[in-house]
Amino acid sequence: MNRVRIVISYNGQWEQLPDGSQRFVGSDNKGMYVSKNMTYEELVAIVHTIVKYDVNKFNVDLASVSIVPGSTCRTFIRNNDDVQFMLGEDRVIPQVCVSLTQRTPGDVIGNDIPPPENTQQFGSFSGSNQLYPQGVSPKYHEVDNEANNEQVDDLENVDEERTQIQTQGRHVQGVSCTVPNMPGTSEVRHNITVSDSDNTITWVIPGADSYSFGIGRSSTLATQEHTCMIYKGQFFPSKKDLKRLVGLFSIRENFEWKVKRSNKTTLHLVCIIDNCTWKLRAVRRDEGTYFQVRSFVNQYSCPLEEVHRRHRQASAVIIGEVIAPRLQQHYGRLMRPKDIIADMKTMYGIQVMYSKAHDALQYALSLTYGTHEESFKLLPSFEYILEQQNPGTITDLQCVDDDTFLYFFMSLGSSIRGFRRCMRPVIAVDGTHLKGRFGGTMFVTTAQDGNEQVYPIAFGYGDSENNLSWEWFLECLRGALGHIDDLVFISDRHASIEAGISKVFPYATHTICCWHFGENMKKRFHRKDVADIMDSAARTYSEFNYNRHMEELHRLHKGAFEYVIAAGPHKWSCVHCPQRRYRLMTTNVAECINSCLKFARQLPMMTLAEFIRNMLQKWFHDRHAAARSMRHQLTDAAHLVILKRVEKCNYMTVNPVDWNIFSVKLKGNQWTVNLHLKTCTCNKFQMDHFPCSHALAAARERNLDFTSLCADYYKRETLIDAYSVPIMPVGHPSSWVVPSDIASRVVLNPKSKRQSGRPMEGRHASSSERTTTQSCRRCGQSGHNSRRCSNPPMVNEGPSISVPDEYRRKCSICHSIGHNKQTCPEKDSTVE
């Protein structure tokens, strides 16, 4: 049985009994049959049909009476899950209790607006083409089985009805139609109230109501079905919006229409088949540019073979609105035009050209993540709200004289606090290209926590990597962090970074990344062995081992030896660095951030900043929870290093010198450990503030706790403190309360633009990197992978085993491989 009975109770009120139970009394009741799969929107439509309330004056609250042990209680109905819970309760007939409350001027007409009669509803973009048969609009049937009208005649005077299309899920541009200054409607705007001294100023942020971050939404919300309607009396802001929704409707219902008449005041659409009865007529209201549907006959009899493979209404805009909800399913990875072509063919049987699929993808991205123009306009408001929601956050927005965007800096207060209190004073600095419409460069500074995890500090955005941009970014970083003793920077050998650090942080030590330095040597001398020797010399803690590696490099290649000496051993060698590097020899922590933002770097500026904030919000939450669940006093990463080094202690001989000084011997080598000063002649103990294997052997001789030898950076409590301050969300731009002087600030698009042509998806491999040939696991061919494969899959004929020649059987006559003595060509000559 696909239908169930419910009772709609209205014109009543809730009453609380002495035992705490609640009931709905004094109501009028009406029974009806509904579908078991009824949605919340359909339930609201049923309620509006029965109660007939004015949606512009009243809010509707739906609830049911749930039976709990010993009493009854009120259960609110506000979404599809609540409806299914009500229908699934074990009772005779579910009861829906309707309460109406007076609207206030600031209320926004939302999803409680039901559809009027004679409407056609279509659901998700991934479902069937038609939810129910022709002529049966609703999924519910009243007990008295009233007849439904099958045709709508033109009306000159249409009663004032709702003028907003109901959508579930993300707002799609051109679909939600709120009509200001129209009879029977109310203008819906997002007004921001700001307290300025004793005066209250109302300010509207331009574009805030239509902007969408598209970041951090759950997959359930991203894949929700969109419910749209076309009905008689419906208003549209323009003719363009009306044609867009009708085009989306025709794709869903698999038919095509054409324009019979179109002018400034009238739009008449009919089916492309002459004898089909489907038609829609809309006229412009005298009050403005709004169009109202006067006639809508939603019955069509055109055969499916008349629909072309390339649907005439399947424009890039319409396809973009269809695929926009699906972008959330590809969160973190961009859909390709190839995917759109396949989806449109599978879902609707429509063939789409590659160029149209590309344009549809760009339009869908603008719907989901906003446009670049809107992003720059809302950037001042975003930085203000970010600072308000996250105390201690430092932002800086720089524009040129004509209000053109130039630089943007962002450092969250939680990251600043955590770095100053809990992190080792080593910062990796790097820059990466942005792949959006206007290009540019993103500056990244990161550290590493005691659990060997990436700890982002600050982000910046500029036109390119030059002296001015890096100097500005480092000035902002100094203003955020303040003065930090023994500060060390690690970067590649970019001249602008070195010049900026020496000017802005004269007290800090600038070092270079060993990996980038080694790649430069491979490219310069075309030899990998010289780079490997340099890397060994850079990572050693002993002056003796350093000299040994350098002598080997000089003997192997004199030019390479002179090259590393000219670069300055204090910049790349751990043993010659003026400050501690704490085993951080590369900028890998910064490169990891660039990899995490590979998808987001093509998004608009404000969406990219929100993407980063949302990513850090999740990192701080998850890492704080993981740190609290650690079972040791040290972090998990530090504990594993201790375990590996303790294994070596079993083979060491420890001789005490006094209570704190020990002599440790192993295989003819000898080291001196001072547990009080936390030093060792191997230099690891004092340079990393972390015990070496010799210090652990000495501590075990005195039964000391290994944790007491470690710096606070590596302890569990420090890790908890680093992530203890959560990163708060900023909310949707329409809910921001921003002073008028900030909201009215003008920020225009940057003048720099990305080069023409298709951008690269990957980077250029250096000459020294090992080149590998990809092999597709789908077709077996080389040059591509299975994700980009367009060839038919290969047939698996079973595993083939290659047997070496020495194990293959040979001919006993000629001792050759490939035949036996029965087929040997020398058989006859041998017999003779």
Side-chain angles (χ1 to χ4, degrees):
M1 185 176 181
N2 295 326
R3 296 189 300 166
V4 295
R5 294 182 297 173
I6 65 171
V7 175
I8 306 295
S9 301
Y10 56 98
N11 295 336
Q13 60 183 357
W14 286 96
E15 182 183 60
Q16 186 165 358
L17 302 180
D19 59 352
S21 302
Q22 293 177 312
R23 64 179 182 179
F24 197 67
V25 297
S27 61
D28 298 329
N29 304 302
K30 184 173 180 61
M32 60 178 53
Y33 285 98
V34 297
S35 170
K36 284 184 177 180
N37 299 323
M38 178 179 60
T39 63
Y40 174 74
E41 287 75 15
E42 293 167 355
L43 177 60
V44 176
I46 297 173
V47 171
H48 182 269
T49 304
I50 298 173
V51 182
K52 301 185 183 303
Y53 61 92
D54 189 345
V55 298
N56 296 313
K57 297 181 180 179
F58 296 96
N59 291 317
V60 60
D61 291 327
L62 304 182
S64 63
V65 180
S66 298
I67 302 176
V68 297
S71 64
T72 58
C73 64
R74 174 170 54 174
T75 304
F76 287 101
I77 304 175
R78 292 172 177 170
N79 51 44
N80 294 340
D81 293 338
D82 296 341
V83 175
Q84 294 302 314
F85 174 79
M86 175 197 66
L87 297 178
E89 285 195 278
D90 187 13
R91 51 183 164 183
V92 180
I93 300 177
Q95 181 186 13
V96 179
C97 305
V98 182
S99 302
L100 299 179
T101 57
Q102 190 76 27
R103 283 190 184 275
T104 60
D107 287 346
V108 178
I109 302 177
N111 284 343
D112 58 346
I113 303 176
E117 300 176 1
N118 303 324
T119 64
Q120 173 67 29
Q121 178 176 341
F122 57 97
S124 71
F125 296 130
S126 59
S128 60
N129 286 345
Q130 200 164 344
L131 290 177
Y132 32 82
Q134 289 185 355
V136 184
S137 292
K139 290 186 180 179
Y140 58 89
H141 307 275
E142 295 187 4
V143 176
D144 52 3
N145 294 324
E146 296 182 359
N148 294 324
N149 295 330
E150 296 183 353
Q151 184 171 352
V152 181
D153 295 329
D154 292 356
L155 299 177
E156 295 297 334
N157 297 319
V158 181
D159 294 336
E160 296 172 354
E161 298 186 4
R162 296 178 326 279
T163 58
Q164 181 174 348
I165 299 175
Q166 184 179 347
T167 59
Q168 179 181 349
R170 192 201 172 279
H171 167 80
V172 180
Q173 182 179 357
V175 176
S176 181
C177 308
T178 302
V179 186
N181 303 325
M182 294 293 292
T185 65
S186 61
E187 182 178 3
V188 179
R189 302 181 68 185
H190 299 278
N191 295 331
I192 310 301
T193 303
V194 182
S195 177
D196 186 4
S197 300
D198 296 333
N199 300 324
T200 300
I201 303 175
T202 301
W203 185 260
V204 179
I205 302 178
D209 54 348
S210 61
Y211 193 85
S212 176
F213 281 128
I215 303 297
R217 297 189 296 176
S218 64
S219 58
T220 303
L221 179 62
T223 57
Q224 270 188 336
E225 294 186 355
H226 286 236
T227 304
C228 303
M229 301 177 186
I230 301 178
Y231 53 87
K232 180 186 62 178
Q234 186 174 0
F235 284 100
F236 291 87
S238 65
K239 185 192 299 185
K240 181 179 179 181
D241 295 324
L242 172 59
K243 294 175 68 176
R244 182 181 303 168
L245 182 61
V246 179
L248 185 62
F249 175 81
S250 64
I251 292 178
R252 289 284 299 124
E253 299 300 324
N254 200 17
F255 76 98
E256 295 179 295
W257 50 264
K258 60 183 179 180
V259 179
K260 183 177 181 180
R261 182 184 179 186
S262 178
N263 52 42
K264 294 182 179 181
T265 60
T266 306
L267 177 63
H268 192 185
L269 307 178
V270 296
C271 183
I272 60 171
I273 307 302
D274 295 336
N275 57 356
C276 183
T277 59
W278 187 93
K279 67 176 183 178
L280 183 145
R281 190 174 72 88
V283 297
R284 191 185 70 181
R285 293 294 298 263
D286 296 335
E287 290 82 352
T289 61
Y290 293 88
F291 273 71
Q292 184 182 32
V293 178
R294 290 293 184 88
S295 174
F296 180 43
V297 179
N298 189 43
Q299 291 188 8
Y300 40 87
S301 57
C302 49
L304 293 178
E305 57 268 15
E306 296 294 338
V307 180
H308 299 163
R309 290 187 305 164
R310 298 177 182 176
H311 202 289
R312 63 189 299 166
Q313 271 76 50
S315 63
V317 173
I318 297 299
I319 296 175
E321 292 183 356
V322 171
I323 67 172
R326 296 176 58 83
L327 287 179
Q328 292 300 318
Q329 301 176 6
H330 296 259
Y331 176 71
R333 181 179 68 86
L334 180 64
M335 289 182 64
R336 300 167 297 163
K338 178 181 177 181
D339 302 328
I340 298 174
I341 294 174
D343 291 346
M344 296 301 295
K345 184 67 175 179
T346 303
M347 297 164 56
Y348 307 113
I350 299 175
Q351 183 175 352
V352 181
M353 299 296 292
Y354 186 91
S355 58
K356 182 183 291 186
H358 176 269
D359 295 340
L361 177 60
Q362 299 304 316
Y363 182 74
L365 285 173
S366 65
L367 290 179
T368 307
Y369 300 109
T371 64
H372 290 272
E373 292 78 8
E374 294 172 345
S375 175
F376 287 113
K377 292 179 182 178
L378 294 176
L379 200 55
S381 301
F382 172 79
E383 66 169 352
Y384 174 81
I385 293 297
L386 188 65
E387 293 177 354
Q388 297 297 316
Q389 294 294 107
N390 297 273
T393 298
I394 304 298
T395 61
D396 184 35
L397 177 60
Q398 296 289 333
C399 298
V400 295
D401 296 337
D402 57 351
D403 296 329
T404 302
F405 173 83
L406 184 60
Y407 302 131
F408 178 67
F409 176 86
M410 178 181 71
S411 182
L412 296 175
S414 301
S415 298
I416 297 173
R417 172 191 175 276
F419 176 77
R420 291 186 58 86
R421 291 167 56 96
C422 311
M423 297 296 133
R424 291 164 287 183
V426 181
I427 299 177
V429 182
D430 193 23
T432 183
H433 295 288
L434 297 178
K435 299 180 291 184
R437 175 181 171 186
F438 298 97
T441 301
M442 181 175 67
F443 311 110
V444 180
T445 56
T446 56
Q448 190 179 63
D449 63 17
N451 201 34
E452 297 186 359
Q453 299 173 129
V454 178
Y455 194 89
I457 302 174
F459 299 87
Y461 314 91
D463 52 353
S464 63
E465 288 192 83
N466 51 59
N467 291 348
L468 293 178
S469 62
W470 272 114
E471 183 179 345
W472 163 84
F473 176 75
L474 294 173
E475 287 281 0
C476 295
L477 182 64
R478 186 183 63 178
L481 299 180
H483 180 84
I484 297 179
D485 296 332
D486 303 331
L487 183 61
V488 176
F489 284 95
I490 305 176
S491 70
D492 55 21
R493 301 191 68 188
H494 199 289
S496 298
I497 300 179
E498 183 175 4
I501 292 176
S502 61
K503 183 177 181 180
V504 180
F505 292 92
Y507 55 87
T509 301
H510 176 240
T511 61
I512 59 179
C513 172
C514 292
W515 187 87
H516 286 93
F517 192 38
E519 292 300 309
N520 293 339
M521 294 184 65
K522 294 176 185 178
K523 185 177 180 180
R524 187 181 185 93
F525 302 105
H526 305 285
R527 296 185 61 170
K528 182 177 181 297
D529 52 353
V530 295
D532 294 340
I533 296 175
M534 182 278 303
D535 187 75
S536 300
R539 296 178 183 273
T540 185
Y541 290 84
S542 171
E543 183 74 27
F544 173 79
N545 292 331
Y546 170 82
N547 294 331
R548 180 170 56 86
H549 290 306
M550 294 302 292
E551 291 176 359
E552 182 182 0
L553 180 62
H554 183 271
R555 182 174 61 256
L556 189 64
H557 197 292
K558 185 177 180 180
F561 175 81
E562 295 175 352
Y563 178 77
V564 297
I565 294 297
H570 64 283
K571 285 185 173 294
W572 54 268
S573 172
C574 178
V575 69
H576 291 99
C577 183
Q579 302 295 340
R580 300 180 181 89
R581 295 185 63 163
Y582 296 94
R583 295 183 296 166
L584 297 176
M585 304 301 297
T586 67
T587 58
N588 188 46
V589 289
E591 300 291 347
C592 291
I593 293 291
N594 298 339
S595 178
C596 294
L597 301 177
K598 182 178 180 180
F599 164 76
R601 279 185 281 151
Q602 64 187 328
L603 300 178
M605 182 63 61
M606 192 179 74
T607 311
L608 172 59
E610 169 61 13
F611 188 101
I612 294 174
R613 189 214 58 79
N614 185 76
M615 180 182 69
L616 298 188
Q617 172 187 324
K618 184 177 184 303
W619 285 6
F620 269 62
H621 173 269
D622 295 346
R623 293 176 181 180
H624 183 260
R628 293 178 63 89
S629 63
M630 292 180 180
R631 297 175 298 175
H632 310 285
Q633 297 184 26
L634 299 177
T635 65
D636 289 343
H639 182 73
L640 290 177
V641 175
I642 290 291
L643 292 180
K644 292 181 180 179
R645 294 183 177 181
V646 166
E647 294 177 358
K648 301 179 182 179
C649 298
N650 299 326
Y651 307 97
M652 296 181 181
T653 303
V654 181
N655 297 319
V657 177
D658 62 11
W659 184 256
N660 294 316
I661 301 175
F662 299 83
S663 175
V664 182
K665 298 179 180 180
L666 176 65
K667 296 181 179 180
N669 297 319
Q670 181 176 352
W671 300 270
T672 303
V673 178
N674 190 322
L675 296 180
H676 177 68
L677 300 178
K678 295 182 179 181
T679 60
C680 179
T681 53
C682 73
N683 293 332
K684 285 186 179 180
F685 197 2
Q686 57 267 32
M687 293 181 69
D688 293 341
H689 280 181
F690 194 77
C692 58
S693 57
H694 320 120
L696 295 176
R700 190 165 60 175
E701 185 72 15
R702 286 285 185 255
N703 293 325
L704 295 179
D705 184 11
F706 296 156
T707 307
S708 62
L709 303 178
C710 302
D712 293 339
Y713 304 125
Y714 307 99
K715 295 182 179 179
R716 169 180 172 268
E717 295 300 328
T718 304
L719 187 66
I720 294 175
D721 186 31
Y723 297 101
S724 60
V725 178
I727 297 176
M728 303 301 297
V730 296
H732 192 269
S734 60
S735 63
W736 293 348
V737 179
V738 182
S740 58
D741 58 335
I742 296 177
S744 59
R745 183 180 177 183
V746 178
V747 179
L748 303 178
N749 305 330
K751 296 180 180 180
S752 60
K753 291 187 178 181
R754 192 181 62 188
Q755 295 181 354
S756 60
R758 186 172 182 175
M760 287 185 55
E761 294 187 2
R763 65 178 181 87
H764 289 289
S766 62
S767 59
S768 60
E769 291 187 61
R770 181 181 301 175
T771 58
T772 58
T773 303
Q774 284 186 334
S775 178
C776 177
R777 63 183 179 184
R778 184 173 182 267
C779 67
Q781 299 182 12
S782 59
H784 64 275
N785 54 21
S786 59
R787 180 171 174 261
R788 299 183 178 276
C789 181
S790 59
N791 301 325
M794 60 180 177
V795 179
N796 187 9
E797 299 179 353
S800 59
I801 302 176
S802 178
V803 181
D805 291 344
E806 57 267 22
Y807 295 104
R808 298 179 64 182
R809 298 184 64 179
K810 300 179 181 180
C811 176
S812 59
I813 297 177
C814 65
H815 304 286
S816 300
I817 300 173
H819 62 273
N820 55 18
K821 66 179 181 179
Q822 299 296 333
T823 59
C824 181
E826 301 180 4
K827 176 180 178 181
D828 297 337
S829 61
T830 304
V831 173
E832 294 176 357

